[in-house]
Amino acid sequence: MRLKQLTYNLILLGLTTLSFGCSKKDLPEVPYENSPIFNVVGTINTTPFEIHAGKNDAYMHTGLEDLNGVDQFTGKLSNGKTSIDIRLFNTNTDIPSLYGYFVEKESYTISPKYGTSTLLKISKEDFSNSEEIKNIVWTIDNEKQTSSSLFIFEPGKYNVCAELYFLNGESAQTCNTIIVGYRSNANYSLDWSINQNSGINAFIKAPNNTISKIKWFVNDVFQSDSSYFNSSNTPEKFKLRAEVHFQNGVISSRETFINTIMHGFSVQDFTIIGQKSSIIWDSSVAFTIEHEGQTYESINNFSYTSKFVIDKISEFKTEDSDAKVKLLKGTLNLPFLNLATEDVVEGSFEIEIGVGY
Amino acid sequence: MSIDNNNIDQLFRDAAHSQKAPKYDSAYWAEMNSILNAKKAKRRGFLFWAFGGSIAFSILLISLFVVNMDLNQPEKRYSQTDLKDQMNIQNSEQVEKEITKHNYSNKIEETNKSEKTLSKNMVSSFQSEIPDNILKKNQNAIRVRNTSVENSFDKQDLTYEPENSLLAKKKNTSENHVDKKSQNTEEYILNETISDNDYVQSLPINAKDRFHQESNRELSKSLLKYKPKPSLIIYAKLSGGLMENYKTSRPYESGLVDFSLNFEMNFDGLLLRSGIGTQITSNADLIVSKRAKVYGLGVINHQNDLSYQNLFDLYIPLEIGYKINATSFGLGAQANYLINTAMDLNYYENHNFVKTEKYNGAREGLNSFSTQGYIWLEHQFTSRLSLGMKIGTNISGRIKNNDYFNQSATTNPIYGQFLLRFNIIQ
């Protein structure tokens, strides 16, 4: 009897083992194999050029790079010896809600070369009270400039401070944000006048844009959000700042220094004075190629005829990284400048390249 | 078309310099090093098993004879020879003469004509020739045999065939010679105690023939051949031992335990076994892998290693062997059906370990069916319990040739097990 029971138990154990074998969790699949995604094939100065991310140690580096306060969408496909670098200039730099948004276009204009010509120049003579000014000390992004005139050669968004020293020994300082080389979506100026009672009347001149809101600050203390700033209860000397909100999303501030007693020792809104270049870099693209020991830069003769023609723009996603990358596919046929010899050579490429954004 | 030696040398130099030198990468060397180490491990494993296996097989073979060697064999041999010599006298036409010579014919007439009764009488007749003291010591044994004779002329039958050497002697045997041998035997076994069971078990004799008697004094061989009835035993078997590790090919790193319910048929010493069982392979490290080269910003070489640690099989064994007294040995094979696994899934990216996940029940990269072959040896210690051992290897491998590739050092590992057998029904 016991033997029968033992046999029964053994069979039961076997069946239990069998049922245990029925539970199964699916295995994750290995990622699908593919061919290189980022590729650049072509010729530069009639020399073949070819590079593929993932082959021969080539890697597609992408990211955002700050150029004078404005982010650029960049990508560099390089194996250490051969590389192609792309940098796409941002746009809408004065609209916070749109700034950083990658604008997809059918073609991107080749960026003009910068650094050689002055994009902005403000000198003492540009101020309306220049006869009272002895000297101006300019500070750009907390870097004091040696010249009494402001010179800016590169596109960017600069925090510029002007410290004016007057002939009577007084001084005054104001700081403003100046956008150079990028399209401005709202043109305006901060103006003011002193009435008979030494009261101040301040207002915004914006003929082409609709203002939604203005905040007024005296010595950085909020005063009102009315369209105008009228006050007779201000200090004798003070900084007046207006934060202007436009309906198109532009948010901008302007600052002036007001001497209510001696008007000549005030500092006007210097963002609207001086000589400013009309060249803009919004959504333009620049290529730099290193090949066989030579460095080439894409050039645009300011006629904007050279373009990077886009076939397709898509999102490139990776599971391993949170970085956002756009994959640009297109063709490039344009002149390049050999930086060593300054020869202009022809470059022709089929491009599949990534840029961070 | 003649180019002098210097030019040729220069040509080669130029050609060499125009090509890029192969880049040194420490990862390549590390990979080659691991391959070389794996080969060394494989070689060491082979030597171990070749050497160890030879020793184990030798031990098995020697133990077979040692276990079956009876230290009292000389005494028994003499006593048995004596008995057998006399019994073999009946093996031919001499049977009748001997019966006549000893005046047993009347007894035969009186007894039943059946072979069964005849056998009894023949044994009685032999008793007269066997010295008393031997006879007494062996009466029980003879009785045992007669009992089986009564039932079915079982293996301890009346007619026996001696060893070849003894047969040669028998042809020239005279009564005196027999008597002389009997006397020698008598001298030799005096004061010796031989148990009946030992005697029965150690008799190196085989049942051969049946006798047929049609009339008085006409005893002849039966045309019916002797066919012993096969026995059937149902038993459970538990085996446990060590196995080569799939990954390293090292012998003591993996375990193999199995339990089975079997039946055994014994055809006069020839054993045929089968049954059903479960087998657990532990710490197997059976690794199959899948790779993928995925291009993106760069390239990532993905590798998923399916490292099967535990394997659960349902199997059907088939064994053939031979039983000599209490010891049996033979060959076996078993067909395994993989019913469950416990597996570690290791993720690698560019040869760097990333993470591990555990899975149960996966069979990817493995065959559902596999087979093993082995040699086995058992010794029966009691009527129910036997101990033994077996050595075997996979015949058809577990690894399936599909998307996964084999990362193991060995595909057919060798194993050794000790086994415990319990006879449930016999």
Side-chain angles (χ1 to χ4, degrees):
Chain A
M1 191 65 183
R2 282 184 180 177
L3 290 174
K4 281 184 179 177
Q5 197 170 11
L6 176 65
T7 309
Y8 170 78
N9 286 333
L10 292 174
I11 292 170
L12 195 65
L13 177 68
L15 291 174
T16 307
T17 310
L18 267 178
S19 64
F20 178 57
C22 293
S23 63
K24 184 186 171 185
K25 192 166 81 174
D26 288 336
L27 289 181
E29 275 297 323
V30 174
Y32 288 109
E33 291 203 334
N34 60 356
S35 52
I37 293 170
F38 301 100
N39 310 281
V40 177
V41 180
T43 57
I44 178 82
N45 194 19
T46 69
T47 307
F49 179 95
E50 186 169 356
I51 187 166
H52 308 273
K55 288 188 172 178
N56 300 320
D57 298 328
Y59 192 84
M60 183 74 243
H61 304 268
T62 61
L64 292 171
E65 288 186 18
D66 179 273
L67 176 67
N68 303 317
V70 179
D71 284 338
Q72 290 180 309
F73 310 120
T74 62
K76 184 172 186 179
L77 179 52
S78 169
N79 63 9
K81 293 179 180 176
T82 299
S83 70
I84 179 166
D85 178 289
I86 180 174
R87 51 191 61 238
L88 206 62
F89 286 80
N90 220 318
T91 187
N92 298 320
T93 54
D94 55 353
I95 303 177
S97 59
L98 297 180
Y99 173 72
Y101 181 78
F102 188 91
V103 178
E104 296 185 3
K105 301 174 74 174
E106 291 183 350
S107 65
Y108 292 91
T109 304
I110 300 301
S111 305
K113 190 173 177 61
Y114 58 82
T116 53
S117 59
T118 304
L119 300 180
L120 176 66
K121 179 188 175 187
I122 302 174
S123 58
K124 186 179 73 171
E125 289 72 27
D126 294 321
F127 285 85
S128 58
N129 56 345
S130 60
E131 65 277 9
E132 304 290 347
I133 300 170
K134 182 184 176 185
N135 187 31
I136 303 174
V137 175
W138 293 96
T139 303
I140 303 175
D141 294 333
N142 297 321
E143 278 191 25
K144 209 169 258 187
Q145 306 297 299
T146 55
S147 171
S148 62
S149 295
L150 175 69
F151 292 94
I152 292 179
F153 299 93
E154 295 181 351
K157 190 175 184 180
Y158 300 94
N159 184 30
V160 179
C161 293
E163 190 170 4
L164 277 66
Y165 292 89
F166 298 102
L167 291 171
N168 66 351
E170 290 190 14
S171 66
Q173 184 186 34
T174 59
C175 295
N176 280 296
T177 298
I178 298 178
I179 295 173
V180 179
Y182 292 96
R183 183 182 297 111
S184 177
N185 293 291
N187 295 313
Y188 72 100
S189 63
L190 170 60
D191 209 348
W192 53 270
S193 62
I194 303 294
N195 59 27
Q196 292 178 349
N197 300 322
S198 298
I200 182 149
N201 298 318
F203 54 93
I204 299 295
K205 282 185 181 175
N208 300 323
N209 301 92
T210 305
I211 296 170
S212 60
K213 186 169 69 176
I214 303 173
K215 289 181 180 177
W216 298 98
F217 298 83
V218 172
N219 289 334
D220 295 326
V221 177
F222 176 73
Q223 301 297 313
S224 73
D225 55 359
S226 58
S227 301
Y228 301 91
F229 179 64
N230 295 320
S231 177
S232 56
N233 191 26
T234 56
E236 188 179 306
K237 301 171 188 174
F238 64 94
K239 283 194 283 189
L240 177 65
R241 181 161 62 90
E243 183 182 293
V244 187
H245 297 243
F246 292 89
Q247 281 190 343
N248 65 359
V250 173
I251 298 175
S252 179
S253 289
R254 294 286 165 83
E255 188 179 78
T256 61
F257 182 85
I258 299 173
N259 187 329
T260 56
I261 307 300
M262 301 172 72
H263 302 170
F265 300 120
S266 298
V267 180
Q268 67 181 110
D269 176 9
F270 62 79
T271 62
I272 58 170
I273 61 173
Q275 299 165 26
K276 202 169 188 178
S277 169
S278 61
I279 302 171
I280 57 171
W281 275 262
D282 289 71
S283 292
S284 64
V285 64
F287 287 93
T288 304
I289 290 172
E290 290 177 339
H291 185 50
E292 295 183 347
Q294 301 292 318
T295 304
Y296 305 89
E297 276 188 359
S298 58
I299 54 175
N300 191 316
N301 54 6
F302 301 107
S303 63
Y304 301 106
T305 54
S306 300
K307 292 182 185 299
F308 173 34
V309 180
I310 295 295
D311 296 327
K312 185 181 179 185
I313 297 177
S314 58
E315 197 82 19
F316 173 76
K317 289 182 180 175
T318 57
E319 294 178 355
D320 308 325
S321 171
D322 294 331
K324 296 195 288 185
V325 176
K326 290 281 185 184
L327 172 58
L328 311 179
K329 294 184 182 180
T331 54
L332 197 64
N333 293 291
L334 48 91
F336 280 81
L337 178 68
N338 186 323
L339 296 184
T341 62
E342 296 193 341
D343 291 337
V344 175
V345 299
E346 286 298 317
S348 177
F349 302 94
E350 292 293 327
I351 291 181
E352 292 173 306
I353 200 164
V355 291
Y357 71 101
Chain B
M1 194 71 192
S2 63
I3 302 173
D4 59 43
N5 290 338
N6 290 335
N7 286 343
I8 292 172
D9 182 54
Q10 191 58 42
L11 280 173
F12 278 108
R13 284 173 188 274
D14 292 344
H17 287 141
S18 66
Q19 296 298 318
K20 292 178 181 175
K23 186 181 178 184
Y24 174 78
D25 189 337
S26 58
Y28 298 151
W29 174 245
E31 190 175 353
M32 178 55 72
N33 204 27
S34 63
I35 292 169
L36 292 174
N37 287 340
K39 284 184 176 177
K40 282 181 186 173
K42 209 169 186 176
R43 200 177 301 128
R44 282 199 298 271
F46 173 77
L47 288 174
F48 174 86
W49 283 111
F51 188 66
S54 303
I55 291 175
F57 185 75
S58 304
I59 291 171
L60 282 176
L61 204 62
I62 291 167
S63 64
L64 181 66
F65 291 102
V66 170
V67 166
N68 287 292
M69 188 172 74
D70 193 337
L71 295 175
N72 296 323
Q73 198 66 23
E75 294 89 335
K76 290 177 187 174
R77 184 160 63 241
Y78 283 116
S79 62
Q80 290 160 17
T81 302
D82 188 50
L83 181 61
K84 282 164 59 184
D85 282 349
Q86 295 176 56
M87 286 181 171
N88 275 294
I89 294 170
Q90 328 302 326
N91 193 28
S92 61
E93 296 173 353
Q94 291 180 4
V95 172
E96 193 176 350
K97 292 177 183 176
E98 290 296 325
I99 292 171
T100 307
K101 181 179 176 182
H102 293 282
N103 296 319
Y104 294 128
S105 58
N106 291 334
K107 289 181 182 178
I108 293 170
E109 286 175 11
E110 290 167 1
T111 56
N112 195 316
K113 289 181 180 179
S114 70
E115 293 170 342
K116 178 174 78 177
T117 312
L118 172 66
S119 64
K120 284 184 178 178
N121 291 326
M122 288 175 71
V123 171
S124 302
S125 72
F126 302 146
Q127 289 176 357
S128 66
E129 290 189 346
I130 300 170
D132 288 343
N133 51 356
I134 299 175
L135 187 59
K136 284 176 184 175
K137 291 181 182 291
N138 295 286
Q139 269 177 344
N140 289 335
I142 293 169
R143 196 176 302 121
V144 168
R145 292 193 295 278
N146 284 340
T147 304
S148 60
V149 167
E150 285 173 4
N151 291 333
S152 63
F153 263 53
D154 216 336
K155 52 189 171 183
Q156 281 80 27
D157 211 334
L158 281 173
T159 304
Y160 301 89
E161 187 174 271
E163 307 282 347
N164 287 340
S165 58
L166 295 175
L167 187 63
K169 285 182 182 178
K170 185 180 75 65
K171 288 178 181 175
N172 298 321
T173 297
S174 64
E175 288 184 20
N176 291 335
H177 180 64
V178 171
D179 290 340
K180 189 179 179 182
K181 287 189 74 175
S182 300
Q183 287 167 10
N184 291 339
T185 305
E186 181 183 4
E187 286 176 9
Y188 199 82
I189 65 172
L190 276 175
N191 302 322
E192 293 289 330
T193 303
I194 303 171
S195 73
D196 295 340
N197 283 336
D198 287 345
Y199 184 79
V200 171
Q201 286 183 6
S202 59
L203 273 176
I205 50 180
N206 300 313
K208 291 290 289 185
D209 300 312
R210 291 183 172 193
F211 286 99
H212 178 70
Q213 184 177 26
E214 291 181 349
S215 60
N216 189 17
R217 298 188 180 183
E218 290 184 2
L219 186 65
S220 62
K221 268 189 179 179
S222 171
L223 294 175
L224 295 171
K225 286 193 174 178
Y226 170 74
K227 287 184 180 177
K229 183 182 178 183
S231 64
L232 177 68
I233 297 174
I234 293 176
Y235 63 94
K237 190 161 71 175
L238 178 66
S239 308
L242 298 172
M243 189 186 77
E244 277 187 308
N245 186 276
Y246 278 96
K247 180 182 178 183
T248 62
S249 192
R250 288 179 187 147
Y252 303 122
E253 292 184 351
S254 303
L256 191 67
V257 177
D258 60 70
F259 178 78
S260 60
L261 285 173
N262 305 277
F263 66 86
E264 176 188 272
M265 297 183 75
N266 187 336
F267 299 95
D268 193 22
L270 181 66
L271 304 176
L272 180 64
R273 298 170 170 180
S274 188
I276 188 167
T278 59
Q279 176 177 269
I280 301 171
T281 309
S282 63
N283 195 32
D285 280 337
L286 172 54
I287 300 175
V288 293
S289 303
K290 193 180 256 189
R291 286 177 180 162
K293 184 177 259 187
V294 179
Y295 289 96
L297 298 174
V299 63
I300 298 175
N301 292 298
H302 292 271
Q303 180 168 322
N304 288 5
D305 280 1
L306 279 58
S307 177
Y308 288 96
Q309 294 300 308
N310 300 322
L311 304 163
F312 303 89
D313 290 295
L314 191 68
Y315 72 88
I316 295 176
L318 182 63
E319 295 178 355
I320 56 169
Y322 198 76
K323 185 168 187 178
I324 300 175
N325 296 329
T327 303
S328 51
F329 58 93
L331 299 171
Q334 67 183 54
N336 304 324
Y337 178 71
L338 186 63
I339 55 173
N340 201 2
T341 63
M343 182 263 284
D344 292 340
L345 175 55
N346 299 319
Y347 294 88
Y348 293 87
E349 285 182 7
N350 293 333
H351 307 292
N352 297 316
F353 173 76
V354 177
K355 63 177 179 177
T356 295
E357 291 176 354
K358 291 189 179 294
Y359 287 86
N360 289 322
R363 293 186 203 175
E364 279 76 359
L366 300 184
N367 290 318
S368 294
F369 289 96
S370 62
T371 54
Q372 291 169 214
Y374 51 87
I375 56 172
W376 54 271
L377 174 71
E378 281 178 18
H379 187 78
Q380 185 172 355
F381 288 94
T382 71
S383 61
R384 290 207 181 269
L385 282 177
S386 300
L387 288 175
M389 58 174 61
K390 64 180 180 182
I391 296 173
T393 184
N394 279 22
I395 299 173
S396 64
R398 290 184 177 277
I399 298 168
K400 190 193 287 182
N401 294 320
N402 56 4
D403 297 340
Y404 291 86
F405 62 91
N406 178 25
Q407 283 276 75
S408 305
T410 180
T411 53
N412 294 318
I414 301 169
Y415 63 88
Q417 286 180 302
F418 289 103
L419 58 91
L420 174 65
R421 165 179 162 164
F422 180 78
N423 291 339
I424 300 171
I425 301 169
Q426 54 187 353

